[in-house]
Amino acid sequence: MLDIVLSLLGMIVASPFILVLIIAIKFTSKGPILFKQKRIGIHKRPFNILKFRTMKIETPSDTPTHLLTDPNQYITKIGKFLRKSSMDELPQLWNIFVGDMSIIGPRPALWNQYDLIEERDKYGANNVYPGLTGWAQINGRDEVSIEEKANLDGQYVKNITFYMDIRCIFGTILSVFKADGVLEGGTGSNKEVASSKERL
């Protein structure tokens, strides 16, 4: 219920800003406003995640950013801002509202990110709703390895509490303002960062 109420409130409050982003995306690059992608949800059930499109339409589909050769060449003019500020994730408020996702949880893996999905199985992290943000997001994001990301997701699953969710929310706000852990085309490039961060 909290997910439904907060996501609805978020869509209402953010609607003027969302409208501005829609106009900006439409008039700065060719292609649809929204980007749909098959992701893995609770119990590994697939669903279509929504994002504001930040990549050019000729970008290879269903390819994680870190597997693209020079991913910056595919990012649109406004896309760099949207990705760095995480504003491209705003349409996922709808995913939360309809029950595909939660506000807090492991970030949903691509359907073909088999290594991440397999690692998360070890910690039961595929058995909870994926989130708009989560513990791994505020502890390294793109900078941590697949193994470390799954481990952080497991820490969240093991310690799910309202207090933990509040920590993730405020940690996300801080990370967005600082643009922490945003590394286009990289994953696990700074394993020491996550390893040295606070643990539960």
Side-chain angles (χ1 to χ4, degrees):
M1 286 303 298
L2 193 59
D3 279 335
I4 293 172
V5 171
L6 290 181
S7 59
L8 178 60
L9 182 62
M11 286 188 286
I12 294 171
V13 172
S15 57
F17 186 63
I18 289 173
L19 180 60
V20 171
L21 293 180
I22 288 172
I23 294 170
I25 294 166
K26 191 64 179 176
F27 287 95
T28 55
S29 64
K30 287 188 270 185
I33 294 166
L34 292 177
F35 171 69
K36 295 181 181 180
Q37 193 174 56
K38 185 178 175 182
R39 295 288 181 113
I40 299 300
I42 187 171
H43 304 311
K44 294 190 277 192
R45 291 198 298 260
F47 72 98
N48 288 321
I49 198 172
L50 299 176
K51 290 187 175 188
F52 281 128
R53 183 177 56 82
T54 61
M55 309 288 273
K56 299 174 183 176
I57 54 175
E58 60 267 25
T59 306
S61 61
D62 289 333
T63 304
T65 307
H66 68 276
L67 295 182
L68 292 173
T69 302
D70 186 18
N72 287 301
Q73 68 176 309
Y74 296 108
I75 300 176
T76 63
K77 292 178 181 178
I78 192 173
K80 193 172 184 66
F81 161 74
L82 290 174
R83 293 167 75 88
K84 189 171 184 179
S85 64
S86 296
M87 295 298 177
D88 60 321
E89 314 285 358
L90 279 174
Q92 286 160 48
L93 289 170
W94 177 256
N95 284 121
I96 296 170
F97 182 71
V98 299
D100 294 327
M101 296 172 57
S102 182
I103 293 174
I104 307 297
R107 283 296 296 161
L110 268 167
W111 66 271
N112 57 358
Q113 282 185 292
Y114 305 114
D115 50 353
L116 177 57
I117 296 168
E118 184 177 351
E119 281 295 316
R120 283 178 170 172
D121 270 336
K122 299 176 182 178
Y123 303 99
N126 291 315
N127 298 325
V128 297
Y129 280 102
L132 181 65
T133 187
W135 189 242
Q137 290 299 102
I138 64 172
N139 282 283
R141 195 172 174 174
D142 298 330
E143 294 181 333
V144 300
S145 67
I146 293 295
E147 294 79 9
E148 184 64 16
K149 184 177 291 185
N151 181 38
L152 288 165
D153 290 332
Q155 290 181 27
Y156 172 75
V157 171
K158 188 178 178 180
N159 297 276
I160 293 179
T161 61
F162 183 71
Y163 171 67
M164 180 66 162
D165 284 355
I166 293 297
R167 289 180 69 183
C168 288
I169 289 172
F170 281 100
T172 297
I173 294 171
L174 183 61
S175 293
V176 167
F177 276 110
K178 295 170 64 178
D180 279 350
V182 179
L183 185 65
E184 296 295 352
T187 183
S189 61
N190 195 1
K191 297 177 186 177
E192 291 78 11
V193 171
S195 297
S196 62
K197 281 185 177 286
E198 178 186 2
R199 293 293 182 266
L200 294 174

